[in-house]
Amino acid sequence: MIPSIQFQGAEHCAFYFEDVHLMLVQFERESFRMLYLLTGQTGDALTLSFPGSLYTEQVMEQVERIFFVELNELQREPVRLALGAYFPVGSNRVGAYYERGSDETTLYFLRIVGDAPDVTLETIEDPSEHRAVAEAFQTRYQNVFFIEK
């Protein structure tokens, strides 16, 4: 029998890096982060495996600075976001973010600009670009995320 393991003082965040389902475990103490492949789920139990040092380094290099962010909107309290998916749309890279501690039904799409370690995020304000990103997200993750229309 495999025991159920829980890390105390850690935040667990499942996300997609392109088409790979991953679990980021961030420990409050020292902001230490670990990355696992999420390979299965039975009820509440998740099956994780270590993706290897090289893969972990490559993914963390791309997402570490942009994984947890705050979105500042006019006349509203900042919204604390976590990365739900990192995926390409044409020649751009996009992050689909959800509000930390929420029911994860509202997504925020942010354009990823530049290369690590100098990566930044920009809001997608053009309605046609936003529509194209939303359609690309829906096509790519339609069997993964429940998407209300």
Side-chain angles (χ1 to χ4, degrees), residues 85-100:
Y86 176 106
F87 60 102
V89 178
S91 62
N92 293 320
R93 291 167 292 151
V94 175
Y97 286 83
Y98 61 90
E99 191 170 347
R100 291 168 75 179

Side-chain angles (χ1 to χ4, degrees), residues 4-149:
S4 173
I5 298 172
Q6 293 183 337
F7 295 111
Q8 286 186 325
E11 183 174 5
H12 304 79
C13 297
F15 73 104
Y16 278 85
F17 184 81
E18 296 178 353
D19 295 321
V20 180
H21 202 186
L22 300 167
M23 173 72 70
L24 178 77
V25 179
Q26 176 174 275
F27 293 89
E28 293 172 15
R29 184 177 180 178
E30 300 180 27
S31 295
F32 181 74
R33 295 176 177 173
M34 296 170 37
L35 192 66
Y36 296 98
L37 285 170
L38 212 160
T39 58
Q41 182 172 357
T42 306
D44 289 341
L46 300 176
T47 303
L48 304 175
S49 66
F50 181 63
S53 297
L54 181 59
Y55 183 79
T56 297
E57 288 172 19
Q58 289 173 341
V59 171
M60 292 305 292
E61 181 179 327
Q62 296 300 313
V63 303
E64 190 164 32
R65 289 186 43 135
I66 59 168
F67 198 91
F68 296 111
V69 298
E70 272 193 7
L71 181 64
N72 295 305
E73 297 179 302
L74 292 175
Q75 300 176 352
R76 191 171 167 212
E77 290 293 317
V79 181
R80 295 176 56 225
L81 302 176
L83 184 65
Y86 176 106
F87 60 102
V89 178
S91 62
N92 293 320
R93 291 167 292 151
V94 175
Y97 286 83
Y98 61 90
E99 191 170 347
R100 291 168 75 179
S102 74
D103 57 7
E104 301 177 15
T105 58
T106 301
L107 291 176
Y108 300 83
F109 295 117
L110 300 174
R111 186 181 315 103
I112 299 165
V113 179
D115 295 314
D118 300 318
V119 65
T120 60
L121 297 171
E122 294 178 353
T123 57
I124 298 173
E125 296 180 12
D126 179 81
S128 63
E129 182 182 1
H130 191 276
R131 191 171 28 264
V133 166
E135 288 172 3
F137 177 86
Q138 185 170 3
T139 299
R140 185 175 209 119
Y141 301 110
Q142 65 185 338
N143 297 321
V144 177
F145 292 97
F146 174 72
I147 301 169
E148 289 185 24
K149 292 186 177 186

